[in-house]
Amino acid sequence: MYLFLQQYWWFLISLLGALLVFLMFVQGANSLLFSLGRNDEERRMLINSTGRKWEITFTTLVTFGGAFFASFPLFYSTSFGGAYWLWMIILFSFVLQAVSYEFQNKLGNILGTRTFQWFLILNGIVGPLLLGGAVATFFNGSNFVIEKASLTDLGAPIISRWANASHGLDALLDPWNLVFGLAVFFLARILGILYVMNNVNDENIRSRGSVRLIGVTVPFLILFLAFLIRTLLKDGYAYDPATGVIFMEPLKYLHNLLDMWYLTVVLLVGVVLLLYAIVRTVVSKTYIKGIWHAGVGVVLVVLVLFLCAGWNNTAYYPSNADLQSSLTIANSCSSEFTLRTMAIVSLLIPFVLAYIAYAWWSMDKKKIDKEEMQHGELY
């Protein structure tokens, strides 16, 4: 039962992470604010479009962190506590986003509307880039040390510590982390363009989006395929479930896809859906529903990546400073009682998702257009 609960909660964490990547279409669209919107009216339509969804993205980010804390507290204390500079920059960029939506058109705004728009662009670049880099450490490792014996030290009862003074920023020194971070950045732009084309009823914005879609798809495919192929061919972090000993296994992540063949099927389906959405949007002038095919595809692909990082006796948060300090689902999870109690609460998730879907549908019953901007705006 305990093993099932561990696997179950890693699946839920993976699903939340996948949904978060999809919802970063908000950041992707904002990063193209001055590219898709050529005048103040067009930019107001774009901001009002993403402004209706940014709270869902931010809430999912917080929920993702909270669920990780509850189900795998050792990861939370190690990553969020040790690599805090990386996470603080990410969170600060999201705070800038929230402030920008709220205050850019308020009376007494001494910074000017344009300044807050640049803050939205900053979040649109920094958020996906750094979150992608943080996720890439699940495959490339981080510099931390776990010392459970330190809990008995009354002077410094710290179970984990970062092995250097960078506190997470060293992740950006690994070029493959940057490759994946850039891939997530361009993916967010793809989703942002598809979302705007569906949500904003303006021919100028839609025609620009169709052109920009090609320009962001090419670098995304190059970066993502390079990261995926390199990950499948490199040594991975495995552990012996009987002893808990962690070791390097050649082609570990490729073995994961072969052993869990159903994940390979899901991965291929996700890739096909994403490519279908992109190609059909580019070739058809009337097709504007690409965000839904692409969204499902992205969720499936990212879900598989997370599951490959943690399932099949894999260390999901490897340590480059001390291999045996690497975190696995088994050695970093909460107690069986905690996981069982939370599993009962998790049965409410479908109802929450249904409410979000209804709220989304209610907000999008009418597409955003210039007429709405003339009668009032949300942001």
Side-chain angles (χ1 to χ4, degrees), residues 102-110:
E102 187 67 26
F103 292 104
Q104 62 179 292
N105 290 315
K106 294 290 186 180
L107 294 176
N109 172 15
I110 60 175

Side-chain angles (χ1 to χ4, degrees), residues 254-285:
L254 178 60
H255 292 162
N256 284 356
L257 286 181
L258 295 176
D259 293 342
M260 301 181 289
W261 58 267
Y262 45 90
L263 293 186
T264 304
V265 174
V266 173
L267 176 67
L268 293 176
V269 171
V271 170
V272 170
L273 286 173
L274 176 60
L275 293 178
Y276 170 80
I278 294 171
V279 172
R280 187 172 177 185
T281 301
V282 171
V283 300
S284 174
K285 294 183 178 180

